[in-house]
Amino acid sequence: AALWEGRMTQYGRSTDVYRHPVDEITARVYSDPPMNSVHVQKTGNALRFPDGQSVSLKMGLPDGDFRAGFRANHLRTVAAPALHVGFSATLLATELTGSETFIHVDALGEKWIGLVHGVPRFEIGQILDVYLDPKELFYFDQEGRFANAQGHTYTTGSECSYVSDHP
């Protein structure tokens, strides 16, 4: 069960609550550290981020404004596939956890926490390039409800692309 301010927000198998939170509060509470988020706008097959980047995805999400949530392990400092969207971020703090490091960054006016493997040499105030895979995002509507409640509904093998001014 997930609890917030004395009330149960969702009850079910742990893996179900983790993978399919009913709302943004449950997603934040059930993630450690809390789930990060960013505003996105979806129109047709285009998903637009606040910095103007857009990603073309076929997905079962209605048009509109959403909060896109992502967990710390989904924020990367190394781009993998060409489909990752990149952002410039300012490093605010680091937390060494042994063999991994939490990074606290400011990107797009949001405070995000990422989890990177190893103990990288970062300097506070350093500008980092950070990356997200749009297929790993959770979408929440304006009321905070999980918008893709049937799970991530991307078309298998969908043609995904993005347009970016980010190097």
Side-chain angles (χ1 to χ4, degrees):
L3 302 173
W4 176 254
E5 295 182 344
R7 70 176 182 88
M8 184 171 49
T9 61
Q10 186 172 348
Y11 179 82
R13 290 186 351 191
S14 296
T15 54
D16 292 339
V17 175
Y18 182 81
R19 291 182 182 129
H20 305 286
V22 295
D23 58 27
E24 190 172 6
I25 289 173
T26 302
R28 289 184 58 77
V29 168
Y30 217 73
S31 298
D32 185 22
M35 186 175 278
N36 302 295
S37 64
V38 62
H39 177 263
V40 295
Q41 184 178 53
K42 196 242 182 213
T43 306
N45 286 339
L47 184 67
R48 183 170 298 280
F49 291 85
D51 65 350
Q53 292 187 77
S54 67
V55 180
S56 178
L57 296 172
K58 292 181 181 177
M59 53 198 256
L61 189 67
D63 288 354
D65 291 328
F66 298 90
R67 295 289 296 167
F70 55 96
R71 294 193 169 97
N73 60 306
H74 294 143
L75 184 66
R76 296 170 174 84
T77 57
V78 176
L83 302 176
H84 283 191
V85 181
F87 306 98
S88 290
T90 303
L91 184 66
L92 303 173
T94 60
E95 295 178 64
L96 180 61
T97 65
S99 62
E100 298 176 314
T101 304
F102 284 112
I103 58 170
H104 298 253
V105 299
D106 184 330
L108 302 176
E110 304 274 356
K111 304 291 190 266
W112 295 342
I113 300 173
L115 178 65
V116 295
H117 297 288
V119 185
R121 294 186 184 270
F122 292 133
E123 297 292 327
I124 303 304
Q126 176 181 348
I127 303 300
L128 299 175
D129 290 330
V130 295
Y131 303 91
L132 294 173
D133 182 343
K135 291 182 285 184
E136 296 175 335
L137 300 176
F138 292 77
Y139 298 96
F140 303 96
D141 66 18
Q142 295 300 303
E143 287 76 39
R145 294 179 303 235
F146 191 38
N148 45 339
Q150 286 74 40
H152 295 279
T153 55
Y154 299 95
T155 304
T156 304
S158 64
E159 294 95 29
C160 300
S161 62
Y162 76 95
V163 179
S164 171
D165 293 330
H166 187 79

PDB file of all heavy atoms in Angstrom, residues 94-120:
ATOM      1  N   THR A  94      25.803  15.960  -4.903  1.00  0.00           N
ATOM      2  CA  THR A  94      25.963  14.534  -5.157  1.00  0.00           C
ATOM      3  C   THR A  94      25.876  13.799  -3.829  1.00  0.00           C
ATOM      4  O   THR A  94      26.178  14.365  -2.775  1.00  0.00           O
ATOM      5  CB  THR A  94      27.323  14.202  -5.816  1.00  0.00           C
ATOM      6  OG1 THR A  94      28.372  14.611  -4.947  1.00  0.00           O
ATOM      7  CG2 THR A  94      27.467  14.884  -7.161  1.00  0.00           C
ATOM      8  N   GLU A  95      25.423  12.549  -3.884  1.00  0.00           N
ATOM      9  CA  GLU A  95      25.362  11.683  -2.699  1.00  0.00           C
ATOM     10  C   GLU A  95      25.962  10.344  -3.075  1.00  0.00           C
ATOM     11  O   GLU A  95      25.401   9.633  -3.912  1.00  0.00           O
ATOM     12  CB  GLU A  95      23.918  11.439  -2.266  1.00  0.00           C
ATOM     13  CG  GLU A  95      23.155  12.625  -1.783  1.00  0.00           C
ATOM     14  CD  GLU A  95      21.732  12.216  -1.440  1.00  0.00           C
ATOM     15  OE1 GLU A  95      21.544  11.397  -0.506  1.00  0.00           O
ATOM     16  OE2 GLU A  95      20.807  12.688  -2.125  1.00  0.00           O
ATOM     17  N   LEU A  96      27.066  10.007  -2.474  1.00  0.00           N
ATOM     18  CA  LEU A  96      27.702   8.723  -2.704  1.00  0.00           C
ATOM     19  C   LEU A  96      26.974   7.661  -1.892  1.00  0.00           C
ATOM     20  O   LEU A  96      26.759   7.820  -0.692  1.00  0.00           O
ATOM     21  CB  LEU A  96      29.174   8.785  -2.286  1.00  0.00           C
ATOM     22  CG  LEU A  96      29.989   7.524  -2.448  1.00  0.00           C
ATOM     23  CD1 LEU A  96      30.039   7.096  -3.908  1.00  0.00           C
ATOM     24  CD2 LEU A  96      31.389   7.737  -1.903  1.00  0.00           C
ATOM     25  N   THR A  97      26.558   6.582  -2.565  1.00  0.00           N
ATOM     26  CA  THR A  97      25.822   5.512  -1.875  1.00  0.00           C
ATOM     27  C   THR A  97      26.616   4.215  -1.839  1.00  0.00           C
ATOM     28  O   THR A  97      26.063   3.169  -1.564  1.00  0.00           O
ATOM     29  CB  THR A  97      24.471   5.245  -2.567  1.00  0.00           C
ATOM     30  OG1 THR A  97      24.728   4.736  -3.880  1.00  0.00           O
ATOM     31  CG2 THR A  97      23.623   6.488  -2.645  1.00  0.00           C
ATOM     32  N   GLY A  98      27.879   4.280  -2.123  1.00  0.00           N
ATOM     33  CA  GLY A  98      28.717   3.083  -2.198  1.00  0.00           C
ATOM     34  C   GLY A  98      29.201   2.928  -3.619  1.00  0.00           C
ATOM     35  O   GLY A  98      30.096   3.634  -4.053  1.00  0.00           O
ATOM     36  N   SER A  99      28.555   2.046  -4.379  1.00  0.00           N
ATOM     37  CA  SER A  99      28.963   1.831  -5.760  1.00  0.00           C
ATOM     38  C   SER A  99      28.169   2.682  -6.746  1.00  0.00           C
ATOM     39  O   SER A  99      28.379   2.598  -7.951  1.00  0.00           O
ATOM     40  CB  SER A  99      28.815   0.354  -6.128  1.00  0.00           C
ATOM     41  OG  SER A  99      27.458  -0.025  -6.023  1.00  0.00           O
ATOM     42  N   GLU A 100      27.255   3.508  -6.251  1.00  0.00           N
ATOM     43  CA  GLU A 100      26.459   4.395  -7.097  1.00  0.00           C
ATOM     44  C   GLU A 100      26.424   5.790  -6.479  1.00  0.00           C
ATOM     45  O   GLU A 100      26.735   5.971  -5.305  1.00  0.00           O
ATOM     46  CB  GLU A 100      25.034   3.855  -7.246  1.00  0.00           C
ATOM     47  CG  GLU A 100      24.976   2.500  -7.917  1.00  0.00           C
ATOM     48  CD  GLU A 100      23.579   1.936  -7.968  1.00  0.00           C
ATOM     49  OE1 GLU A 100      22.879   1.982  -6.942  1.00  0.00           O
ATOM     50  OE2 GLU A 100      23.191   1.463  -9.041  1.00  0.00           O
ATOM     51  N   THR A 101      26.011   6.754  -7.298  1.00  0.00           N
ATOM     52  CA  THR A 101      25.961   8.146  -6.854  1.00  0.00           C
ATOM     53  C   THR A 101      24.633   8.767  -7.268  1.00  0.00           C
ATOM     54  O   THR A 101      24.221   8.641  -8.427  1.00  0.00           O
ATOM     55  CB  THR A 101      27.113   8.954  -7.489  1.00  0.00           C
ATOM     56  OG1 THR A 101      28.360   8.326  -7.166  1.00  0.00           O
ATOM     57  CG2 THR A 101      27.117  10.392  -7.008  1.00  0.00           C
ATOM     58  N   PHE A 102      23.959   9.411  -6.321  1.00  0.00           N
ATOM     59  CA  PHE A 102      22.793  10.225  -6.655  1.00  0.00           C
ATOM     60  C   PHE A 102      23.310  11.596  -7.068  1.00  0.00           C
ATOM     61  O   PHE A 102      24.165  12.164  -6.394  1.00  0.00           O
ATOM     62  CB  PHE A 102      21.851  10.386  -5.458  1.00  0.00           C
ATOM     63  CG  PHE A 102      21.015   9.178  -5.168  1.00  0.00           C
ATOM     64  CD1 PHE A 102      21.221   8.432  -4.023  1.00  0.00           C
ATOM     65  CD2 PHE A 102      20.014   8.783  -6.044  1.00  0.00           C
ATOM     66  CE1 PHE A 102      20.454   7.322  -3.740  1.00  0.00           C
ATOM     67  CE2 PHE A 102      19.234   7.667  -5.784  1.00  0.00           C
ATOM     68  CZ  PHE A 102      19.463   6.932  -4.626  1.00  0.00           C
ATOM     69  N   ILE A 103      22.794  12.098  -8.187  1.00  0.00           N
ATOM     70  CA  ILE A 103      23.111  13.466  -8.592  1.00  0.00           C
ATOM     71  C   ILE A 103      21.839  14.290  -8.485  1.00  0.00           C
ATOM     72  O   ILE A 103      20.763  13.849  -8.866  1.00  0.00           O
ATOM     73  CB  ILE A 103      23.694  13.530 -10.025  1.00  0.00           C
ATOM     74  CG1 ILE A 103      22.726  12.924 -11.057  1.00  0.00           C
ATOM     75  CG2 ILE A 103      25.070  12.867 -10.090  1.00  0.00           C
ATOM     76  CD1 ILE A 103      23.120  13.167 -12.504  1.00  0.00           C
ATOM     77  N   HIS A 104      21.956  15.470  -7.927  1.00  0.00           N
ATOM     78  CA  HIS A 104      20.847  16.415  -7.819  1.00  0.00           C
ATOM     79  C   HIS A 104      21.133  17.523  -8.830  1.00  0.00           C
ATOM     80  O   HIS A 104      22.191  18.168  -8.742  1.00  0.00           O
ATOM     81  CB  HIS A 104      20.765  16.991  -6.408  1.00  0.00           C
ATOM     82  CG  HIS A 104      20.498  15.962  -5.358  1.00  0.00           C
ATOM     83  ND1 HIS A 104      19.276  15.855  -4.721  1.00  0.00           N
ATOM     84  CD2 HIS A 104      21.279  14.977  -4.831  1.00  0.00           C
ATOM     85  CE1 HIS A 104      19.319  14.867  -3.852  1.00  0.00           C
ATOM     86  NE2 HIS A 104      20.531  14.316  -3.898  1.00  0.00           N
ATOM     87  N   VAL A 105      20.207  17.734  -9.762  1.00  0.00           N
ATOM     88  CA  VAL A 105      20.424  18.711 -10.818  1.00  0.00           C
ATOM     89  C   VAL A 105      19.227  19.637 -10.957  1.00  0.00           C
ATOM     90  O   VAL A 105      18.125  19.321 -10.517  1.00  0.00           O
ATOM     91  CB  VAL A 105      20.717  18.026 -12.184  1.00  0.00           C
ATOM     92  CG1 VAL A 105      21.979  17.171 -12.118  1.00  0.00           C
ATOM     93  CG2 VAL A 105      19.531  17.213 -12.670  1.00  0.00           C
ATOM     94  N   ASP A 106      19.480  20.766 -11.581  1.00  0.00           N
ATOM     95  CA  ASP A 106      18.431  21.709 -11.959  1.00  0.00           C
ATOM     96  C   ASP A 106      18.394  21.707 -13.481  1.00  0.00           C
ATOM     97  O   ASP A 106      19.393  22.049 -14.125  1.00  0.00           O
ATOM     98  CB  ASP A 106      18.759  23.101 -11.425  1.00  0.00           C
ATOM     99  CG  ASP A 106      17.665  24.112 -11.692  1.00  0.00           C
ATOM    100  OD1 ASP A 106      16.942  23.985 -12.695  1.00  0.00           O
ATOM    101  OD2 ASP A 106      17.543  25.057 -10.896  1.00  0.00           O
ATOM    102  N   ALA A 107      17.265  21.289 -14.047  1.00  0.00           N
ATOM    103  CA  ALA A 107      17.093  21.260 -15.500  1.00  0.00           C
ATOM    104  C   ALA A 107      15.684  21.731 -15.830  1.00  0.00           C
ATOM    105  O   ALA A 107      14.721  21.309 -15.178  1.00  0.00           O
ATOM    106  CB  ALA A 107      17.317  19.852 -16.046  1.00  0.00           C
ATOM    107  N   LEU A 108      15.571  22.586 -16.806  1.00  0.00           N
ATOM    108  CA  LEU A 108      14.271  23.104 -17.249  1.00  0.00           C
ATOM    109  C   LEU A 108      13.483  23.723 -16.103  1.00  0.00           C
ATOM    110  O   LEU A 108      12.259  23.656 -16.071  1.00  0.00           O
ATOM    111  CB  LEU A 108      13.440  21.995 -17.911  1.00  0.00           C
ATOM    112  CG  LEU A 108      14.066  21.310 -19.125  1.00  0.00           C
ATOM    113  CD1 LEU A 108      13.166  20.167 -19.602  1.00  0.00           C
ATOM    114  CD2 LEU A 108      14.304  22.310 -20.236  1.00  0.00           C
ATOM    115  N   GLY A 109      14.182  24.291 -15.126  1.00  0.00           N
ATOM    116  CA  GLY A 109      13.516  24.905 -13.983  1.00  0.00           C
ATOM    117  C   GLY A 109      12.984  23.912 -12.976  1.00  0.00           C
ATOM    118  O   GLY A 109      12.229  24.277 -12.079  1.00  0.00           O
ATOM    119  N   GLU A 110      13.346  22.650 -13.115  1.00  0.00           N
ATOM    120  CA  GLU A 110      12.910  21.582 -12.211  1.00  0.00           C
ATOM    121  C   GLU A 110      14.117  21.022 -11.477  1.00  0.00           C
ATOM    122  O   GLU A 110      15.220  20.992 -12.011  1.00  0.00           O
ATOM    123  CB  GLU A 110      12.256  20.434 -13.003  1.00  0.00           C
ATOM    124  CG  GLU A 110      11.102  20.825 -13.879  1.00  0.00           C
ATOM    125  CD  GLU A 110       9.778  20.848 -13.156  1.00  0.00           C
ATOM    126  OE1 GLU A 110       9.722  20.482 -11.970  1.00  0.00           O
ATOM    127  OE2 GLU A 110       8.784  21.220 -13.801  1.00  0.00           O
ATOM    128  N   LYS A 111      13.904  20.559 -10.264  1.00  0.00           N
ATOM    129  CA  LYS A 111      14.940  19.863  -9.499  1.00  0.00           C
ATOM    130  C   LYS A 111      14.749  18.372  -9.717  1.00  0.00           C
ATOM    131  O   LYS A 111      13.683  17.833  -9.427  1.00  0.00           O
ATOM    132  CB  LYS A 111      14.833  20.181  -7.998  1.00  0.00           C
ATOM    133  CG  LYS A 111      14.893  21.672  -7.671  1.00  0.00           C
ATOM    134  CD  LYS A 111      16.255  22.249  -7.914  1.00  0.00           C
ATOM    135  CE  LYS A 111      16.386  23.642  -7.363  1.00  0.00           C
ATOM    136  NZ  LYS A 111      16.123  24.702  -8.304  1.00  0.00           N
ATOM    137  N   TRP A 112      15.771  17.713 -10.260  1.00  0.00           N
ATOM    138  CA  TRP A 112      15.715  16.290 -10.552  1.00  0.00           C
ATOM    139  C   TRP A 112      16.805  15.558  -9.786  1.00  0.00           C
ATOM    140  O   TRP A 112      17.857  16.124  -9.490  1.00  0.00           O
ATOM    141  CB  TRP A 112      15.919  16.014 -12.034  1.00  0.00           C
ATOM    142  CG  TRP A 112      14.857  16.533 -12.953  1.00  0.00           C
ATOM    143  CD1 TRP A 112      13.594  16.918 -12.629  1.00  0.00           C
ATOM    144  CD2 TRP A 112      14.977  16.718 -14.361  1.00  0.00           C
ATOM    145  NE1 TRP A 112      12.914  17.320 -13.753  1.00  0.00           N
ATOM    146  CE2 TRP A 112      13.743  17.216 -14.830  1.00  0.00           C
ATOM    147  CE3 TRP A 112      15.999  16.510 -15.268  1.00  0.00           C
ATOM    148  CZ2 TRP A 112      13.512  17.499 -16.172  1.00  0.00           C
ATOM    149  CZ3 TRP A 112      15.773  16.797 -16.611  1.00  0.00           C
ATOM    150  CH2 TRP A 112      14.528  17.284 -17.052  1.00  0.00           C
ATOM    151  N   ILE A 113      16.559  14.281  -9.520  1.00  0.00           N
ATOM    152  CA  ILE A 113      17.566  13.416  -8.909  1.00  0.00           C
ATOM    153  C   ILE A 113      17.805  12.250  -9.851  1.00  0.00           C
ATOM    154  O   ILE A 113      16.855  11.603 -10.299  1.00  0.00           O
ATOM    155  CB  ILE A 113      17.118  12.900  -7.526  1.00  0.00           C
ATOM    156  CG1 ILE A 113      16.868  14.071  -6.576  1.00  0.00           C
ATOM    157  CG2 ILE A 113      18.177  11.955  -6.950  1.00  0.00           C
ATOM    158  CD1 ILE A 113      16.274  13.667  -5.245  1.00  0.00           C
ATOM    159  N   GLY A 114      19.073  12.003 -10.151  1.00  0.00           N
ATOM    160  CA  GLY A 114      19.449  10.891 -11.007  1.00  0.00           C
ATOM    161  C   GLY A 114      20.332   9.919 -10.243  1.00  0.00           C
ATOM    162  O   GLY A 114      20.943  10.283  -9.230  1.00  0.00           O
ATOM    163  N   LEU A 115      20.408   8.709 -10.714  1.00  0.00           N
ATOM    164  CA  LEU A 115      21.262   7.687 -10.124  1.00  0.00           C
ATOM    165  C   LEU A 115      22.240   7.226 -11.187  1.00  0.00           C
ATOM    166  O   LEU A 115      21.833   6.730 -12.238  1.00  0.00           O
ATOM    167  CB  LEU A 115      20.419   6.505  -9.630  1.00  0.00           C
ATOM    168  CG  LEU A 115      21.188   5.342  -9.022  1.00  0.00           C
ATOM    169  CD1 LEU A 115      21.888   5.776  -7.737  1.00  0.00           C
ATOM    170  CD2 LEU A 115      20.243   4.178  -8.742  1.00  0.00           C
ATOM    171  N   VAL A 116      23.534   7.422 -10.923  1.00  0.00           N
ATOM    172  CA  VAL A 116      24.557   6.994 -11.871  1.00  0.00           C
ATOM    173  C   VAL A 116      25.422   5.929 -11.215  1.00  0.00           C
ATOM    174  O   VAL A 116      25.635   5.942  -9.999  1.00  0.00           O
ATOM    175  CB  VAL A 116      25.416   8.177 -12.373  1.00  0.00           C
ATOM    176  CG1 VAL A 116      24.576   9.157 -13.170  1.00  0.00           C
ATOM    177  CG2 VAL A 116      26.109   8.889 -11.241  1.00  0.00           C
ATOM    178  N   HIS A 117      25.892   4.988 -12.009  1.00  0.00           N
ATOM    179  CA  HIS A 117      26.734   3.917 -11.502  1.00  0.00           C
ATOM    180  C   HIS A 117      28.145   4.436 -11.284  1.00  0.00           C
ATOM    181  O   HIS A 117      28.629   5.273 -12.023  1.00  0.00           O
ATOM    182  CB  HIS A 117      26.733   2.728 -12.461  1.00  0.00           C
ATOM    183  CG  HIS A 117      25.374   2.115 -12.599  1.00  0.00           C
ATOM    184  ND1 HIS A 117      24.788   1.379 -11.592  1.00  0.00           N
ATOM    185  CD2 HIS A 117      24.471   2.159 -13.594  1.00  0.00           C
ATOM    186  CE1 HIS A 117      23.593   0.991 -11.970  1.00  0.00           C
ATOM    187  NE2 HIS A 117      23.371   1.451 -13.192  1.00  0.00           N
ATOM    188  N   GLY A 118      28.767   3.950 -10.254  1.00  0.00           N
ATOM    189  CA  GLY A 118      30.136   4.329  -9.962  1.00  0.00           C
ATOM    190  C   GLY A 118      30.218   5.609  -9.153  1.00  0.00           C
ATOM    191  O   GLY A 118      29.225   6.099  -8.603  1.00  0.00           O
ATOM    192  N   VAL A 119      31.424   6.143  -9.102  1.00  0.00           N
ATOM    193  CA  VAL A 119      31.699   7.365  -8.347  1.00  0.00           C
ATOM    194  C   VAL A 119      32.366   8.357  -9.301  1.00  0.00           C
ATOM    195  O   VAL A 119      33.584   8.537  -9.294  1.00  0.00           O
ATOM    196  CB  VAL A 119      32.614   7.064  -7.132  1.00  0.00           C
ATOM    197  CG1 VAL A 119      32.800   8.316  -6.286  1.00  0.00           C
ATOM    198  CG2 VAL A 119      32.032   5.926  -6.300  1.00  0.00           C
ATOM    199  N   PRO A 120      31.567   8.988 -10.164  1.00  0.00           N
ATOM    200  CA  PRO A 120      32.140   9.913 -11.136  1.00  0.00           C
ATOM    201  C   PRO A 120      32.671  11.182 -10.467  1.00  0.00           C
ATOM    202  O   PRO A 120      32.238  11.549  -9.373  1.00  0.00           O
ATOM    203  CB  PRO A 120      30.968  10.231 -12.066  1.00  0.00           C
ATOM    204  CG  PRO A 120      29.751   9.915 -11.278  1.00  0.00           C
ATOM    205  CD  PRO A 120      30.125   8.871 -10.280  1.00  0.00           C
TER     206      PRO A 120
END
